Amino acid sequence: MRKTRTTARYATQSKMTRRKAVLKKRRWKSAHKKGTKAYTFLIPSIQQMPEEKDGAENGTENGAEHGMGYPSPHGEDAQRPMLSVIIPAMNEEKTIGAVVREALRICRDAEVLVIVNGSTDGTANAAQRAGARVLTYAEALGHDGGRKVGAAAARGQILLFTDADIAIPAEHLAPYVQAVLKGTDVALNDYHGPINRSPVHPVVEAKHMLNSILARSDLRGASMTAIPHALSRHGLEVMGISSLEVPPLAQAKAVIGGLRVRAVHHVPVGRMNAIRSKKRTGPDPLSQVVLNDHLAAIKWITDTLGPRGGYSDLHRVRSLAR
């Protein structure tokens, strides 16, 4: 009798575990039906938005003076799409179509730019068929170089950055755009990395450390090195397009430049991102690049704010110890 009860309990637990896994998968399933162009737009067009609203809801709390908040349907802004989605891509023929289609579902007033660089497959054709504007480069630019090129070519009032190998549903991209519409300059993924592992990965530590140096420990590990993230046009001007090649540097310039930087929505990109290589000998070259980018950001901070990065040295007189 006891054995039968134990077996039944384990069977019930196994069924519940499978049920939870199915529900989690459904939460990430997009509402877009494959093979149809009947997009359900998640954000209304510029023409449908009110021109003025009061308070922080439309961005007047910290940036209406920069033309943030809901875009005006008149004047120069009317010539621009509300949103530019920028997607660097290299040999992502299998996934780029789905990524573009999800980006197009965010709002009607959008352009999707795919920066195809160093590709030897049909990524460019697949992106174009899905409805993207394609910029092609024979050389490999890397993710950050591709984002810089895309930002320079983008016409949108809001810039959203994502990757070509992860088809994030539009329902989980729209919150970044909505945050910028409400006044945020830099809308980050509220993703902090696997901090419970031992040891913690150096890149995860670097992200937390940079935010602490910037007196923004509330951001924890949220970083411009992770997608998705979105920028206001004013935020891009403060950071400078060239800084997008070094995302931690761009983030440092945003915080010190007084921009409103927020972690707005959680997308578990660490779990969603496919592992390209299971076996590696020696250090991960990508991790080394990201760590060097954080060092560049710290150097800029100390060059700008002084050797202590703007922090007080209290009452110590270091010259007396020389």
Side-chain angles (χ1 to χ4, degrees), residues 2-300:
R2 181 177 296 174
K3 185 175 181 181
T4 302
R5 288 178 179 174
T6 303
T7 303
R9 184 172 73 250
Y10 283 135
T12 302
Q13 289 176 344
S14 177
K15 187 177 180 180
M16 290 175 64
T17 301
R18 290 196 298 270
R19 177 64 176 165
K20 287 180 180 179
V22 169
L23 289 174
K24 181 180 284 189
K25 188 174 182 181
R26 284 179 181 173
R27 281 198 298 269
W28 279 103
K29 189 175 181 181
S30 170
H32 171 64
K33 293 182 179 180
K34 188 176 181 181
T36 177
K37 289 287 187 180
Y39 299 126
T40 302
F41 297 106
L42 304 176
I43 299 176
S45 65
I46 292 175
Q47 286 75 16
Q48 293 174 316
M49 290 182 175
E51 289 187 55
E52 294 182 3
K53 282 195 175 185
D54 295 327
E57 186 176 340
N58 77 330
T60 57
E61 174 186 304
N62 194 22
E65 67 272 20
H66 303 303
M68 293 162 54
Y70 292 117
S72 169
H74 307 294
E76 183 180 348
D77 284 345
Q79 305 303 317
R80 292 180 173 179
M82 180 170 72
L83 173 67
S84 292
V85 184
I86 297 165
I87 311 169
M90 177 175 150
N91 293 333
E92 302 292 356
E93 180 181 9
K94 294 181 180 179
T95 56
I96 189 61
V99 174
V100 170
R101 286 189 289 272
E102 291 299 332
L104 287 170
R105 288 184 55 233
I106 298 172
C107 65
R108 190 180 302 275
D109 305 307
E111 63 173 1
V112 177
L113 283 78
V114 176
I115 298 83
V116 179
N117 59 101
S119 284
T120 56
D121 66 357
T123 299
N125 289 334
Q128 196 165 25
R129 284 197 304 270
R133 172 184 164 202
V134 178
L135 306 178
T136 306
Y137 293 82
E139 305 82 4
L141 305 176
H143 286 83
D144 302 328
R147 288 171 193 148
K148 173 189 170 183
V149 168
R155 298 180 297 116
Q157 300 175 60
I158 300 169
L159 282 69
L160 174 69
F161 299 86
T162 189
D163 283 349
D165 58 343
I166 307 176
I168 300 173
E171 290 79 3
H172 293 279
L173 295 173
Y176 301 92
V177 180
Q178 290 167 332
V180 176
L181 285 172
K182 293 178 180 179
T184 298
D185 289 301
V186 182
L188 299 175
N189 185 353
D190 194 15
Y191 173 76
H192 311 294
I195 58 176
N196 295 324
R197 292 182 184 175
S198 183
V200 177
H201 195 283
V203 168
V204 175
E205 290 182 316
K207 293 176 181 179
H208 283 257
M209 178 194 65
L210 179 62
N211 286 331
S212 294
I213 290 173
L214 292 168
R216 288 299 308 272
S217 56
D218 59 295
L219 293 174
R220 300 174 64 195
S223 172
M224 284 184 65
T225 63
I227 53 94
H229 61 266
L231 307 176
S232 68
R233 183 58 70 170
H234 169 66
L236 182 65
E237 292 171 358
V238 170
M239 289 181 286
I241 289 178
S242 62
S243 68
L244 296 181
E245 286 189 298
V246 186
L249 173 60
Q251 187 161 331
K253 288 185 175 183
V255 172
I256 293 175
L259 297 177
R260 190 178 184 193
V261 181
R262 294 176 53 230
V264 300
H265 182 69
H266 176 72
V267 176
V269 287
R271 177 168 57 83
M272 299 171 70
N273 201 5
I275 299 174
R276 299 301 178 98
S277 177
K278 294 183 179 180
K279 294 183 180 180
R280 184 186 296 113
T281 57
D284 176 12
L286 179 58
S287 294
Q288 296 297 310
V289 169
V290 177
L291 291 174
N292 286 334
D293 286 350
H294 281 79
L295 289 174
I298 294 170
K299 183 180 184 303
W300 180 85

Side-chain angles (χ1 to χ4, degrees), residues 293-317:
D293 286 350
H294 281 79
L295 289 174
I298 294 170
K299 183 180 184 303
W300 180 85
I301 293 170
T302 55
D303 287 346
T304 303
L305 301 180
R308 293 186 60 82
Y311 287 89
S312 168
D313 205 6
L314 298 177
H315 302 292
R316 291 181 288 188
V317 183

